[in-house]
Amino acid sequence: MHRLLPYFRPYKRLLLLAIVSNILMSVFLVISIPVLQPFLQLLFDIPRETSSTGILQEATGIQAIEHRLNEYFVELVRTQGRESALLWVCGLLVLTFLGKNLFRYLSLYFMAPVRNGVVRDLRNRIVAKILELPLSYFSEARKGDLMSRVSADVQEVDSSIIGVVESVAREPIIILGSLTFMLYVSPSLLGFALLLMLFAGLVIGRIGLVLRRQSAAAQKRLGLVSAILEETLSGLRIIKGFNAQQWQQARYERENALYASLLTQISRRRDLASPLSEFLGIAAVAIILWFGARQVFAGEMMAPTFITFLYAFYNIIEPAKHLSAASYSIRKGLGALERIEAVLAEPVKIRDQENALPVQVFSRAIEFHNVSFRYPSSEHDVLSHINLTIPKGKIVALVGASGAGKSTLADLLPRFYDVVEGQILLDGIDIRQLRLRDLRALMGIVSQEAILFNDTVRNNIAFGLEHVSDAEIEAAARAAHAHEFICALPEGYHTLIGERGTKLSGGQRQRLTIARALLRNPPILILDEATSALDSESEKMVQAALSRLLQNRTALVIAHRLSTVQYADEIIVLERGRIVERGAHESLMRQNGLYRKLVELQAL
Ligand code: ADP
């Protein structure tokens, strides 16, 4: 439980209120047990004078209290008659249950904001962590994993652990209270009842354990079955082409049959649990009845006392079940919490150094000095010994076959990854010494796919900037040749983009991302040219927007379509992570090397 405490800290007051309510609720429940007794005495018209628990021991504290209560009750019957005494007892019963349920509701009332708050905080922390972690952390597999943690694991923590807090505060008190009463009434009967409960609990617990193991196995099997279905769907063309329908069908049926037979086993076992527990329960009650009734016959105990004892026993069963379920779900919930905490504890490798230098302006040049890089997962260098200078105001274009390392090289500049060897200097200072925030503020990024968010057009342009005036947004949109089409949208700049919103064409999306970069007006631009071809009208607009964006800026352009890089001041040709050619378009064409080959290939 102590692992959970930090999560509850912000909700101390509410939690305290909930726990106090829970305690009061259990107190009322426990009080209701002895209240039942006078009622039964009245009903059976037992001679009041002798009514006591029957076991004649020296008066203990509780006995003294009971004695007083009894005397009071006898007095009540004597002065007011049986009828009104009955009314009193019934009233008292209603009152105790009113108290119990009032506090039960109150505890839930105080607990609701706690559990929802804890879950909200967890979700927020995961997303904050995701935004903080370096890009290198996120492989495709991890993205899926993170999705499941944010949804499934957080849900798991919610339903298990937090529900448990309620029962942990409540059930032990109910159990203790009832046990104390039972112990006081008849220690031997209690010992007997506990033994029976233990036995029934063990039998049912054993079934539960096997069930849980089998459920986990079934979950895995279901995964296999779905995997084959998925394969079937994605491989339909091949399956049909190779006439492998029957083969695939057989594979599926085999897995499916295994799953079904496992499910049958599980169903049978699960269906056994309820009849068995009912039977065991009744058997236990019958044995206790037999044992207790004999004590009643022998005059060792009053009948109402015995019935009250049974009621107390009944009160224990539910809380005991809850507690045992709670211990199981605590373990499950802690497992989920552990997986979440593993993400939260992930070290953030790319962050400000101590005494990171602020930087506001870019004045001379960006230099790559002997830069090498490899991904943690890759076996050899993705970039090796890159030397490159981008003077202020110049445009450098990267070309090369797909996989040559162009995007990787561009990603090093805003420190999405850190170089493995060598260094990147901005105006002579290693970018790792600069404040990350400042460094990235100097750069604008226009990526290959136009990434838009499910928000208004305006917010997609303002993206991350606060206090931007409408005039500024419009100016950026005009410069990006986007103003006209935005005005034609149903709600202009306030139109929602996204699944439920307006669909935009590829060229329009690109112009929005260009407007976004223009609004920021960064001195350095990293431009990953779109690969997908646009229709020529759109193409012209996007090109016009881009050349506007490139004006008076220092830029690193990843060029996919070589026809568009001829304006670059220097073209860098990459092959397998190395610079193989460099120079202006004309001179590269004259060199008759890889660049020329690439150009000619594209011209075909
Ligand atoms: P380009 O942009 O020229 O197509 P990239 O920079 O995307 O090339 O990729 C260069 C090489 O690095 C490729 O071999 C690619 O498979 C590998 N690579 C790219 N991203 C990752 C990554 N996140 N993890 C491991 N390897 C990667």
Side-chain angles (χ1 to χ4, degrees), residues 17-281:
L17 284 170
I19 290 177
V20 168
S21 307
N22 263 322
I23 292 175
L24 286 174
M25 171 206 151
S26 347
V27 167
F28 271 99
L29 178 69
V30 172
I31 288 178
S32 78
I33 297 172
V35 167
L36 200 64
Q37 202 171 327
F39 171 76
L40 292 167
Q41 286 173 353
L42 265 180
L43 201 64
F44 294 141
D45 193 21
I46 300 224
R48 264 78 64 187
E49 284 71 23
T50 57
S51 75
S52 144
T53 52
I55 306 160
L56 299 172
Q57 304 164 333
E58 308 99 83
T60 62
I62 307 175
Q63 256 179 333
I65 294 174
E66 206 210 346
H67 213 72
R68 289 277 293 281
L69 274 176
N70 238 346
E71 277 173 3
Y72 182 74
F73 182 66
V74 171
E75 186 65 20
L76 197 71
V77 174
R78 207 164 47 84
T79 55
Q80 314 220 352
R82 264 174 73 181
E83 298 265 318
S84 54
L86 180 67
L87 217 60
W88 271 101
V89 174
C90 288
L92 203 58
L93 208 61
V94 169
L95 267 183
T96 52
F97 273 83
L98 178 69
K100 177 195 152 185
N101 284 294
L102 182 70
F103 284 110
R104 181 160 97 177
Y105 175 66
L106 275 180
S107 84
L108 293 175
Y109 179 88
F110 292 128
M111 210 52 203
V114 177
R115 59 186 293 179
N116 295 325
V118 168
V119 167
R120 178 197 57 207
D121 296 348
L122 261 184
R123 289 210 177 97
N124 281 346
R125 281 181 57 189
I126 298 178
V127 171
K129 188 70 188 189
I130 289 175
L131 289 172
E132 194 189 8
L133 280 168
L135 279 183
S136 55
Y137 179 78
F138 302 93
S139 56
E140 281 309 312
R142 277 194 169 152
K143 277 185 207 158
D145 188 45
L146 278 170
M147 284 301 288
S148 91
R149 285 187 203 193
V150 176
S151 49
D153 282 349
V154 172
Q155 206 59 49
E156 182 79 59
V157 171
D158 177 30
S159 58
S160 61
I161 296 185
I162 297 172
V164 161
V165 171
E166 296 171 9
S167 42
V168 166
R170 190 171 56 207
E171 319 303 10
I173 301 175
I174 299 180
I175 293 179
L176 264 179
S178 308
L179 281 182
T180 314
F181 176 81
M182 290 158 81
L183 183 71
Y184 161 66
V185 169
S186 166
S188 58
L189 200 51
L190 171 65
F192 202 67
L194 284 184
L195 259 171
L196 285 174
M197 252 175 85
L198 199 68
F199 173 71
L202 281 180
V203 172
I204 291 169
R206 171 90 206 142
I207 295 181
L209 191 71
V210 178
L211 257 180
R212 284 198 285 274
R213 276 203 209 114
Q214 285 186 330
S215 305
Q219 211 60 45
K220 258 195 211 136
R221 282 243 162 265
L222 180 62
L224 289 176
V225 174
S226 334
I228 297 186
L229 178 62
E230 217 179 285
E231 246 178 41
T232 308
L233 280 173
S234 56
L236 266 181
R237 177 182 296 270
I238 300 295
I239 294 172
K240 287 177 191 278
F242 282 74
N243 272 334
Q245 289 97 320
Q246 278 176 6
W247 186 75
Q248 185 72 0
Q249 177 77 25
R251 256 177 49 141
Y252 187 75
E253 281 177 5
R254 214 165 31 237
E255 248 350 290
N256 206 11
L258 283 173
Y259 177 58
S261 74
L262 188 58
L263 275 190
T264 305
Q265 278 181 36
I266 292 178
S267 302
R268 288 197 175 140
R269 202 175 285 267
R270 185 182 303 135
D271 298 341
L272 180 64
S274 172
L276 190 70
S277 76
E278 181 174 316
F279 172 73
L280 284 175

Side-chain angles (χ1 to χ4, degrees), residues 141-438:
R142 277 194 169 152
K143 277 185 207 158
D145 188 45
L146 278 170
M147 284 301 288
S148 91
R149 285 187 203 193
V150 176
S151 49
D153 282 349
V154 172
Q155 206 59 49
E156 182 79 59
V157 171
D158 177 30
S159 58
S160 61
I161 296 185
I162 297 172
V164 161
V165 171
E166 296 171 9
S167 42
V168 166
R170 190 171 56 207
E171 319 303 10
I173 301 175
I174 299 180
I175 293 179
L176 264 179
S178 308
L179 281 182
T180 314
F181 176 81
M182 290 158 81
L183 183 71
Y184 161 66
V185 169
S186 166
S188 58
L189 200 51
L190 171 65
F192 202 67
L194 284 184
L195 259 171
L196 285 174
M197 252 175 85
L198 199 68
F199 173 71
L202 281 180
V203 172
I204 291 169
R206 171 90 206 142
I207 295 181
L209 191 71
V210 178
L211 257 180
R212 284 198 285 274
R213 276 203 209 114
Q214 285 186 330
S215 305
Q219 211 60 45
K220 258 195 211 136
R221 282 243 162 265
L222 180 62
L224 289 176
V225 174
S226 334
I228 297 186
L229 178 62
E230 217 179 285
E231 246 178 41
T232 308
L233 280 173
S234 56
L236 266 181
R237 177 182 296 270
I238 300 295
I239 294 172
K240 287 177 191 278
F242 282 74
N243 272 334
Q245 289 97 320
Q246 278 176 6
W247 186 75
Q248 185 72 0
Q249 177 77 25
R251 256 177 49 141
Y252 187 75
E253 281 177 5
R254 214 165 31 237
E255 248 350 290
N256 206 11
L258 283 173
Y259 177 58
S261 74
L262 188 58
L263 275 190
T264 305
Q265 278 181 36
I266 292 178
S267 302
R268 288 197 175 140
R269 202 175 285 267
R270 185 182 303 135
D271 298 341
L272 180 64
S274 172
L276 190 70
S277 76
E278 181 174 316
F279 172 73
L280 284 175
I282 276 296
V285 167
I287 295 174
I288 292 172
L289 271 178
W290 175 77
F291 195 82
R294 277 187 7 156
Q295 288 191 356
V296 174
F297 294 160
E300 286 167 30
M301 196 184 349
M302 305 298 299
T305 313
F306 179 52
I307 295 178
T308 316
F309 178 92
L310 286 179
Y311 172 64
F313 181 63
Y314 165 79
N315 271 335
I316 287 188
I317 295 175
E318 274 306 304
K321 271 194 199 158
H322 281 171
L323 270 188
S324 95
S327 88
Y328 170 62
S329 69
I330 281 192
R331 256 174 292 145
K332 240 172 71 178
L334 282 179
L337 189 67
E338 233 158 60
R339 289 192 292 272
I340 294 172
E341 282 178 338
V343 176
L344 294 179
E346 192 68 34
V348 178
K349 292 201 198 87
I350 296 188
R351 63 182 341 157
D352 281 348
Q353 290 179 349
E354 268 176 60
N355 313 321
L357 303 170
V359 49
Q360 309 299 342
V361 286
F362 168 57
S363 45
R364 295 201 314 276
I366 297 165
E367 295 154 83
F368 284 66
H369 269 297
N370 205 21
V371 166
S372 295
F373 178 79
R374 65 170 61 189
Y375 290 99
S377 62
S378 51
E379 271 153 30
H380 19 239
D381 285 354
V382 169
L383 293 172
S384 41
H385 308 291
I386 301 288
N387 283 294
L388 178 62
T389 302
I390 313 172
K392 184 179 160 86
K394 301 288 183 197
I395 296 173
V396 170
L398 297 172
V399 302
S402 143
K406 304 182 293 290
S407 316
T408 307
L409 196 152
D411 279 348
L412 293 178
L413 207 46
R415 286 189 70 198
F416 290 153
Y417 304 97
D418 270 339
V419 299
V420 170
E421 220 181 287
Q423 54 182 179
I424 300 175
L425 306 177
L426 185 118
D427 289 343
I429 305 171
D430 191 318
I431 56 172
R432 284 170 292 188
Q433 291 169 359
L434 300 174
R435 267 198 219 145
L436 197 55
R437 215 188 143 72
D438 289 359

Side-chain angles (χ1 to χ4, degrees), residues 364-585:
R364 295 201 314 276
I366 297 165
E367 295 154 83
F368 284 66
H369 269 297
N370 205 21
V371 166
S372 295
F373 178 79
R374 65 170 61 189
Y375 290 99
S377 62
S378 51
E379 271 153 30
H380 19 239
D381 285 354
V382 169
L383 293 172
S384 41
H385 308 291
I386 301 288
N387 283 294
L388 178 62
T389 302
I390 313 172
K392 184 179 160 86
K394 301 288 183 197
I395 296 173
V396 170
L398 297 172
V399 302
S402 143
K406 304 182 293 290
S407 316
T408 307
L409 196 152
D411 279 348
L412 293 178
L413 207 46
R415 286 189 70 198
F416 290 153
Y417 304 97
D418 270 339
V419 299
V420 170
E421 220 181 287
Q423 54 182 179
I424 300 175
L425 306 177
L426 185 118
D427 289 343
I429 305 171
D430 191 318
I431 56 172
R432 284 170 292 188
Q433 291 169 359
L434 300 174
R435 267 198 219 145
L436 197 55
R437 215 188 143 72
D438 289 359
L439 174 72
R440 289 184 184 160
L442 291 177
M443 301 178 186
I445 297 173
V446 177
S447 60
Q448 209 174 88
E449 336 77 284
I451 296 191
L452 297 175
F453 296 84
N454 193 2
D455 203 338
T456 60
V457 170
R458 184 188 193 285
N459 286 345
N460 264 290
I461 296 178
F463 194 65
L465 294 178
E466 316 249 353
H467 317 297
V468 188
S469 72
D470 287 345
E472 287 170 293
I473 301 255
E474 194 185 310
R478 275 184 195 282
H481 297 270
H483 181 68
E484 285 77 31
F485 86 78
I486 294 173
C487 288
L489 293 174
E491 286 167 73
Y493 282 86
H494 298 285
T495 312
L496 274 175
I497 303 173
E499 284 158 52
R500 277 158 298 135
T502 314
K503 291 258 178 282
L504 298 175
S505 75
Q508 290 172 331
R509 296 172 70 91
Q510 268 167 13
R511 279 178 276 158
L512 281 189
T513 60
I514 292 170
R516 180 191 289 162
L518 276 166
L519 178 68
R520 299 223 161 197
N521 196 17
I524 303 168
L525 190 72
I526 299 169
L527 170 63
D528 195 347
E529 233 187 24
T531 35
S532 54
L534 303 169
D535 59 273
S536 56
E537 181 58 31
S538 250
E539 174 82 48
K540 242 186 260 160
M541 297 277 248
V542 170
Q543 278 310 333
L546 277 179
S547 45
R548 179 69 185 263
L549 182 61
L550 287 169
Q551 256 170 35
N552 305 323
R553 260 181 253 277
T554 312
L556 185 63
V557 180
I558 301 176
H560 299 285
R561 275 162 301 160
L562 302 181
S563 53
T564 61
V565 294
Q566 290 161 18
Y567 53 76
D569 297 285
E570 188 180 22
I571 298 169
I572 305 281
V573 186
L574 280 177
E575 190 179 35
R576 275 185 249 120
R578 292 171 189 277
I579 299 181
V580 289
E581 286 172 28
R582 63 202 306 165
H585 175 72

